[in-house]
């Protein structure tokens, strides 16, 4: 069964997603679910106003349908297992949160910025859900063989973690990765291709650990991301929105925890990490300069990082392709480190 079956299921997910992606775009247009762009983001981004958003629904529904189908088949034949359900539930839960945020943003689009949920509310809900997932994993006997431990790269050593340490660390990784992918979602095709590369890497790692069901989930997500990219490639016909980015990031963090390869996540997801660090450094540099120098100087032209390069003259396609090259190579490095 193993890897060939996982790759086949991923391909089927892609085909299903492409088939119903067109009707989904038309439905989003009819419902008036269009992208809202901040005024300060520049002329190129302003051209995207009104493009259907909440396209993450395509990814989530495709993954849920295939995952549910595999588990239904397991009633007759042991095809899938319980460990595929946990990341699927995480994907769905964070996707619902993202959809609520996207919808709130659209309803408030008559305002100057079209904001969604407040950052504090969204973050609080993310933390609560991530802690619930961490508690569930820590008490799931026989469900996740590599959980409650962390593997050290370059050393054949797995360090067991007590629930007191495991739960906050697990929640931190899930929430952090969820927001990191959210920061990455800003250019046509960027978040989708970076997420697909990261899930493919963890799919291979799970396969090497003989976590067959987790491997299936990872490549189902890869297929769904590719289907989304079919419509999100420049110029995008629809955008992922928080519906997709929050869900993909949280699911990726969950998968990393379930493999025990936590420490490889910053390498495999180096682009989302860089995007997040750029936001943190941008805010810190602005506050420091205003407080100690009395001027508003910032480290980057714009944050997240892709905005810095866009204002520097790189085209959207150049940024996405170059970031993807970095993301693909870092994913390959992460798999290599898992093998050592």
């Amino acid at each position: 069964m193993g890897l060939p079956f996982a790759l086949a299921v991923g391909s089927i997910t892609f085909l299903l997603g492409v088939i119903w992606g067109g009707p989904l775009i038309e439905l989003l247009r009819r419902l008036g679910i269009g992208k809202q762009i901040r005024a300060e983001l520049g002329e190129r981004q302003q051209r995207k106003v009104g493009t259907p958003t909440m396209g993450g629904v395509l990814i989530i529904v495709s993954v849920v349908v295939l995952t549910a189908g595999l588990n239904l088949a397991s009633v007759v034949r042991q095809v899938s297992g319980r460990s595929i359900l946990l990341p699927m539930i995480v994907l769905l839960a964070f996707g619902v949160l993202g959809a609520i945020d996207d919808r709130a943003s659209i309803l408030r689009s008559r305002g100057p910025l079209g904001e969604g949920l407040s950052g504090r509310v969204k973050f609080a809900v993310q933390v609560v859900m991530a802690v619930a997932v961490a508690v569930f994993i820590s008490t799931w006997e026989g469900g996740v063989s590599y959980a409650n431990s962390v593997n050290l790269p370059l050393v054949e050593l797995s360090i067991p973690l007590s629930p007191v340490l495991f739960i906050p660390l697990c929640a931190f990784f899930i929430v952090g990765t969820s927001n990191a992918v959210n920061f990455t979602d800003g250019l046509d095709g960027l978040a989708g291709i970076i997420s697909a590369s990261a899930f493919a890497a963890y799919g291979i790692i799970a396969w090497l650990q003989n976590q067959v069901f987790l491997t299936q989930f990872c490549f189902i997500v890869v297929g769904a991301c590719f289907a989304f990219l079919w419509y999100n490639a420049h110029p995008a016909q629809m955008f992922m929105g928080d519906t997709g980015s929050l869900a993909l990031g949280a699911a990726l963090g969950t998968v990393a925890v379930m493999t025990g390869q936590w420490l490889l996540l910053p390498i495999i997801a180096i682009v989302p990490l860089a995007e997040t660090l750029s936001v943190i450094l941008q805010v810190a540099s602005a506050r420091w300069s205003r407080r100690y120098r009395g001027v508003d100087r910032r480290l980057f032209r714009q944050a997240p990082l892709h905005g810095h390069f866009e204002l520097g003259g790189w085209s959207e396609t150049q940024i996405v392709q170059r970031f993807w090259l970095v993301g693909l190579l870092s994913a390959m490095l992460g798999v290599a480190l898992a093998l050592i």
Side-chain angles (χ1 to χ4, degrees):
M1 197 63 68
L3 186 60
F5 181 77
L7 294 173
V9 172
S11 300
I12 294 172
T13 307
F14 167 75
L15 291 174
L16 289 176
V18 169
I19 289 172
W20 81 281
L24 174 62
I25 293 174
E26 184 60 29
L27 176 62
L28 293 174
R29 283 178 179 153
R30 288 179 179 272
L31 294 175
I33 302 177
K35 180 70 173 177
Q36 304 300 319
I37 303 291
R38 289 173 176 264
E40 66 267 25
L41 291 187
E43 182 181 350
R44 281 191 289 183
Q45 293 297 318
Q46 290 297 324
R47 296 172 186 170
K48 301 181 180 182
V49 172
T51 302
T53 187
M54 293 181 69
V57 170
L58 187 150
I59 298 173
I60 295 171
V61 171
S62 299
V63 172
V64 170
V65 168
L66 264 293
T67 303
L70 288 174
N71 281 273
L72 180 63
S74 67
V75 174
V76 180
R77 181 180 178 182
Q78 191 63 29
V79 176
S80 186
R82 292 184 302 165
S83 62
I84 202 174
L85 292 176
L86 177 60
M88 185 202 75
I89 293 172
V90 172
L91 182 83
L92 184 59
F94 278 78
V96 170
L97 174 63
I100 293 172
D101 187 40
D102 285 335
R103 184 59 179 166
S105 177
I106 294 168
L107 291 176
R108 297 182 186 178
S109 60
R110 297 181 182 89
L113 297 179
E115 293 286 356
L117 296 175
S118 70
R120 291 183 179 181
V121 171
K122 186 162 61 173
F123 181 75
V125 176
Q126 286 177 301
V127 170
V128 170
M129 292 194 296
V131 169
V133 173
V135 171
F136 182 78
I137 294 177
S138 67
T139 58
W140 191 4
E141 296 182 2
V144 187
S145 58
Y146 288 87
N148 295 306
S149 64
V150 58
N151 297 328
L152 299 181
L154 304 177
V155 181
E156 293 186 7
L157 180 62
S158 180
I159 301 177
L161 301 175
S162 67
V164 175
L165 186 58
F166 172 82
I167 291 173
L169 276 176
C170 177
F172 172 79
F173 268 79
I174 293 173
V175 174
T177 310
S178 179
N179 287 292
V181 175
N182 186 234
F183 285 136
T184 307
D185 183 30
L187 300 179
D188 297 351
L190 182 57
I193 195 66
I194 294 298
S195 297
S197 300
F199 273 103
Y202 271 109
I204 295 173
I205 291 173
W207 175 65
L208 293 171
Q209 296 175 340
N210 201 32
Q211 295 203 68
V212 177
F213 308 134
L214 194 57
T215 303
Q216 291 175 15
F217 175 82
C218 287
F219 283 102
I220 288 173
V221 175
V222 171
C225 285
F226 283 171
F228 170 76
L229 287 167
W230 185 270
Y231 298 101
N232 185 240
H234 185 72
Q237 296 174 263
M238 69 174 169
F239 299 125
M240 183 181 295
D242 285 9
T243 305
S245 58
L246 292 181
L248 286 173
L252 180 61
T254 302
V255 168
V257 171
M258 292 175 69
T259 62
Q261 296 288 2
W262 308 38
L263 300 182
L264 293 180
L265 186 57
I267 297 174
I268 292 175
I270 193 170
V271 171
L273 175 64
E275 298 272 31
T276 304
L277 289 177
S278 70
V279 173
I280 295 173
L281 291 174
Q282 185 82 328
V283 173
S285 63
R287 289 181 177 177
W288 184 86
S289 64
R290 285 197 300 265
R291 181 173 182 179
Y292 295 102
R293 294 190 175 183
V295 294
D296 189 359
R297 291 185 180 178
R298 307 190 178 201
L299 189 60
F300 301 100
R301 300 183 187 95
Q302 183 178 291
L305 189 59
H306 60 259
H308 172 79
F309 289 106
E310 190 172 20
L311 292 180
W314 289 17
S315 70
E316 187 166 357
T317 304
Q318 284 178 315
I319 297 171
V320 172
Q321 290 182 345
R322 289 169 179 173
F323 275 37
W324 175 66
L325 289 175
V326 173
L328 180 61
L329 290 173
S330 64
M332 292 167 57
L333 177 60
V335 173
L337 291 174
L339 287 169
I340 297 176

